[in-house]
Amino acid sequence: MGQPNPTPAQVAARTTPRAVGQQVGEQVTGAQSIVRSLEEVGVDTVFGIPGGAILPTYDPLMDSARLRHILVRHEQGGGHAASGYAHATGRVGVTMATSGPGATNLVTPIADANMDSVPLVAITGQVAAPAIGTDAFQEADIVGITMPITKHSYLVTDPDDIPRTIAEAFHIASTGRPGPVLVDIAKSAMQAQTTFRWPQELALPGYHPVTKPHAKQIREAAKLLATARRPVLYVGGGVIRSGAADVLRRLVDVSGAAVTTTLMARGAVPDSHPQHLGMPGMHGTVPAVAALQKADLIVALGARFDDRVTGKLSSFAPHAAIVHADIDPAEIGKNRAVDVPIVGDLREVIGELIPALEAEHAKVGKPDIEAWWHQIDTWRETYPLGFTSTDDGHLAPQHVISRLGEIAGPDAIYVAGVGQHQMWAAQFIRYERPNTWINSGGLGTMGYSVPAAMGAKVGAPDRDVWAIDGDGCFQMTNQELATCAINDIPIKVALVNNSSLGMVRQWQTLFYNERYSNTDLHTGHGTVRIPDFVKLAEAYGCVGIRVEHENEVDEAIKRANEIDDRPVVVDFTVSRDAMVWPMVAAGVSNDDIQYARGISPAWERED
C-alpha cells in the first residue's frame, strides 16, 4: 500500500529553508552547490540526461549518497517521469537536461505539468554567461520559451544565487496552485567557486497564496447548499492536489448532494459511493452530464469549467447557482460567472464548509432532495455505462480495460496515454482512492503513459503500476522501457492496439464521412505488424505477451501481475471500430449528449 501522500502543507514544510549546520560557509563549486541544494530540499530522485552545458553538475551528482539519478532515453521522458513521480507521491518531481535541444525537449512535459497543476522543478544547463545572447552552440532562451507555461522561470549566472534560487523554486512549485518551475543555470556558474549558504528564510514579495477561505463566503456557500433541491458537487483535480479526498467524503455524506469527478479527479470520491455519478463532460456518464445540466446549485471544488466538461458554455447548467472554490483566484469566474467565489486551499475550504453546513441544517433542516434522487436513479437505470461486442472478431477494448481493473484491483496505479484508451480507462476501471489514476488531462499529451508510469513506480515501488497506452502513443516514448529494464522499474503496459490513431479515426468516422486520412498505423491487424510489439518488448529487456482472443485476456493480466523482476508489455489486439460513448461533440450543448451513435436521451431541453 505504501505511505499516504503528503498534504501540500507537509510538502511545503519539506522545502522550507532550514539551517545546514557545518555546511554553511563551505567552499564549493556551483555544480556542487546545485547537488547540495537538491539534497537540502529533500529530493531523492532526479530523471535526466547529461550534456555539455549541464555536465559540470553531473560530476558531483555521482558522489551524492542521497540522490538517485535515473538516466532516461529522451528529455521528454524525463519530464513526464518527474510528473508521474509527483502524481504518485504528492512531492515535487525533478528533471534535469542540458541546454538548447535538451531544454526544448522539456517544453512539452513542462506545459503538461502546468495544465494539470503538477509540482515539478526542471533544472537545465545554459551556455556560459558571456556567451548568452550570441547564438552559441546549443543555446536557446529556455526562460523566454517557458515563461508562459511555468509558475516561474529563473536564469542563474551567479553561483552565489544557486541555493536561494533552488529553495525558492521548490517552494513555488509546491505551494498555492502547484505547478512547474524552471531553473536555467549557466555553465560558468556551475564551474565557478562559491560559498554555500542555505537561505534561512525566503523573500518572495507578491507571492502569498491564500489558503484560508473567507468565513463569510463559507457561510454563503453553506446556505445555498442547505436549501438547494438539485445540488451537485462538481469535483476537479484540485481536490487531489490538496489532499482533500478524506474531508470531501465527509462533505458528500453531510450534504446528500450528487457528485461528479472530472478526468483529473477520478478516485477523489470512491466509484462505489452511492452518490457518485461518475465523470462529467464530453465522454462522461449520462447521469453525470444530465445532473449538471439540471442542477439548481453546482459547488465546484478545484475544477476549471473547461470546454470538455461544459460543452457549449452558454447552454451549460442554465438554472444553477454557482459556488466556485479554488486555490487559484484566476480560475474563479474565468469561464462561468460565479455567485459565491471562495479562494483557498480545498482541504481548508471543505473542512470549514462541513460545520457551516451542519449549522445551517440545524437551523433550517435538510432540504427535500428525494425527487432529485429519483430522477438521477432513473437516468442511472436507463443509461448505464456499457459496450457492445465487436463485429470484426477482434477484442472489445472496453472488455480488456474493465478486466484489467477487476484483476489488478483498486490499489494499483493506472497511468493512461491520450485518446480512446484514456477515456475507456477513466470509464471502465473503478477507482476507490485518490492518486490511483494518472493521465495528461489538460494538454492531452500523447506519449505520456510509459514515462509517467515509470516515475510513478519509482515513487511508489510497492504498488503495481499499469501503463494503459494506445499503439500511437506508445510509439512516441516506448524507448523508456529500456530505462525501466536497466533500472529495475517493473512497470506493466496494457497496450490497447487497434492499429490506428483511434480517437482521430473515431472523429473521421463521425464527422468526416469515414475518410480515414493518415490514421492507419499497421501495428496489429492483418499479417503486417510494424513494429511487432512483442519483439520490441523483448528487445528492450521486457516480457512481451500478445492477446488476440477474449479467453486469453484474464490469464495474460494475471501473468503480467506475477512478474516483478522486469517490465511487461501485453499487446491486446482490439477492434479499430470500437468507439467511446457517451459523447458530446465539440462545441455542442451537453443537452445533445449521445448515449451511443444515433441514440440521445429524451429530456426537456433547456434553451
Side-chain angles (χ1 to χ4, degrees):
M1 295 286 291
Q3 296 298 315
N5 287 350
T7 65
Q10 291 169 327
V11 172
R14 290 175 178 169
T15 60
T16 299
R18 57 187 175 83
V20 293
Q22 297 178 350
Q23 296 172 348
V24 175
E26 184 178 351
Q27 292 296 303
V28 296
T29 65
Q32 290 172 319
S33 182
I34 293 170
V35 173
R36 184 72 58 79
S37 297
L38 292 175
E39 292 174 340
E40 286 302 316
V41 294
V43 173
D44 57 21
T45 305
V46 177
F47 301 92
I49 303 180
I54 196 69
L55 198 57
T57 297
Y58 270 79
D59 186 65
L61 185 61
M62 191 174 183
D63 299 325
S64 176
R66 293 159 62 182
L67 298 178
R68 178 189 184 188
H69 181 274
I70 295 176
L71 176 62
V72 296
R73 294 303 180 265
H74 191 283
E75 290 88 356
Q76 182 177 348
H80 292 323
S83 171
Y85 174 95
H87 270 282
T89 64
R91 303 177 63 192
V92 179
V94 182
T95 188
M96 190 177 289
T98 195
S99 65
T104 58
N105 280 342
L106 285 176
V107 169
T108 296
I110 289 172
D112 188 277
N114 189 57
M115 287 286 280
D116 288 345
S117 304
V118 179
L120 184 147
V121 169
I123 297 174
T124 54
Q126 183 56 274
V127 299
I132 293 176
T134 69
D135 291 334
F137 177 68
Q138 291 193 334
E139 181 188 0
D141 179 11
I142 195 63
V143 169
I145 290 168
T146 61
M147 195 168 291
I149 56 171
T150 56
K151 284 189 74 175
H152 197 63
S153 295
Y154 291 91
L155 173 61
V156 180
T157 58
D158 185 341
D160 292 346
D161 291 338
I162 289 171
R164 174 189 57 79
T165 302
I166 290 180
E168 289 179 3
F170 277 78
H171 177 72
I172 293 169
S174 61
T175 55
R177 178 178 181 172
V181 177
L182 175 89
V183 181
D184 192 35
I185 306 175
K187 186 174 184 178
S188 53
M190 300 180 205
Q191 294 173 318
Q193 290 290 314
T194 183
T195 301
F196 182 84
R197 293 188 177 89
W198 190 246
Q200 302 304 297
E201 60 182 7
L202 297 180
L204 292 168
Y207 182 72
H208 303 288
V210 174
T211 60
K212 184 174 177 57
H214 195 288
K216 179 178 181 294
Q217 302 302 91
I218 292 291
R219 291 194 299 271
E220 291 299 317
K223 289 177 182 178
L224 288 176
L225 192 52
T227 55
R229 296 299 182 93
R230 301 188 305 279
V232 178
L233 304 182
Y234 163 33
V235 176
V239 168
I240 301 287
R241 295 288 175 266
S242 66
D246 54 344
V247 290
L248 173 63
R249 173 67 182 271
R250 299 212 317 270
L251 177 63
V252 171
D253 293 339
V254 170
S255 69
V259 188
T260 70
T261 53
T262 68
L263 182 65
M264 295 304 300
R266 302 293 286 117
V269 175
D271 280 345
S272 59
H273 195 287
Q275 291 164 237
H276 188 220
L277 308 185
M279 184 173 70
M282 177 175 280
H283 294 296
T285 68
V286 170
V289 172
L292 286 170
Q293 285 299 97
K294 307 301 182 184
D296 64 357
L297 174 68
I298 293 175
V299 179
L301 301 168
R304 299 188 289 115
F305 290 91
D306 67 286
D307 60 297
R308 289 298 170 105
V309 167
T310 66
K312 184 180 178 181
L313 186 59
S314 61
S315 68
F316 176 72
H319 300 301
I322 304 294
V323 174
H324 192 175
D326 204 287
I327 188 72
D328 183 358
E331 286 296 343
I332 298 177
K334 183 176 77 175
N335 294 328
R336 171 66 184 256
V338 176
D339 297 283
V340 180
I342 304 175
V343 178
D345 181 271
L346 286 176
R347 189 171 183 84
E348 294 191 41
V349 170
I350 298 170
E352 294 190 18
L353 183 56
I354 292 169
L357 179 59
E358 291 174 329
E360 286 297 317
H361 286 163
K363 286 195 294 185
V364 302
K366 291 188 175 183
D368 181 3
I369 55 177
E370 183 178 351
W372 178 228
W373 275 107
H374 176 75
Q375 176 63 78
I376 290 172
D377 288 339
T378 299
W379 291 328
R380 283 170 155 172
E381 293 167 8
T382 309
Y383 303 108
L385 273 177
F387 60 92
T388 58
S389 299
T390 62
D391 296 326
D392 57 8
H394 292 298
L395 294 168
Q398 303 95 326
H399 172 74
V400 169
I401 291 173
S402 63
R403 292 306 300 152
L404 174 61
E406 290 293 328
I407 295 169
D411 291 327
I413 295 175
Y414 302 92
V415 188
V418 168
Q420 287 180 315
H421 63 278
Q422 175 192 26
M423 295 297 103
W424 288 319
Q427 291 175 332
F428 289 99
I429 293 174
R430 293 179 65 80
Y431 299 96
E432 296 295 318
R433 54 177 289 187
N435 303 103
T436 54
W437 164 246
I438 299 172
N439 80 124
S440 171
L443 197 64
T445 305
M446 293 180 68
Y448 180 82
S449 178
V450 169
M454 174 174 68
K457 183 65 175 176
V458 171
D462 296 331
R463 296 172 65 182
D464 287 336
V465 177
W466 276 92
I468 301 173
D469 219 357
D471 45 314
C473 290
F474 183 67
Q475 292 186 80
M476 295 187 175
T477 52
N478 63 34
Q479 67 268 28
E480 299 307 336
L481 288 174
T483 310
C484 292
I486 291 168
N487 291 279
D488 299 319
I489 307 170
I491 67 169
K492 308 172 198 307
V493 180
L495 187 54
V496 183
N497 180 4
N498 61 5
S499 196
S500 301
L501 296 173
M503 187 61 85
V504 181
R505 191 178 194 276
Q506 176 169 332
W507 281 49
Q508 288 173 333
T509 300
L510 297 175
F511 309 121
Y512 293 90
N513 299 316
E514 300 183 6
R515 290 167 54 83
Y516 301 118
S517 174
N518 292 285
T519 47
D520 190 347
L521 295 176
H522 302 282
T523 55
H525 293 182
T527 58
V528 177
R529 295 180 181 272
I530 302 175
D532 183 317
F533 289 126
V534 171
K535 292 180 180 178
L536 181 69
E538 293 170 349
Y540 275 129
C542 309
V543 175
I545 302 170
R546 177 167 293 122
V547 178
E548 297 180 287
H549 304 288
E550 190 170 302
N551 61 4
E552 301 169 343
V553 171
D554 286 16
E555 181 182 350
I557 295 170
K558 291 174 182 176
R559 181 184 169 198
N561 277 337
E562 292 169 355
I563 298 171
D564 292 325
D565 61 345
R566 69 195 73 181
V568 183
V569 177
V570 187
D571 179 11
F572 294 99
T573 303
V574 305
S575 174
R576 63 174 39 160
D577 294 324
M579 295 193 197
V580 182
W581 300 105
M583 181 175 180
V584 179
V588 170
S589 171
N590 281 352
D591 288 329
D592 295 321
I593 186 173
Q594 291 190 53
Y595 179 55
R597 191 174 187 181
I599 303 174
S600 295
W603 50 40
E604 293 183 8
R605 291 180 56 87
E606 302 288 354
D607 295 321

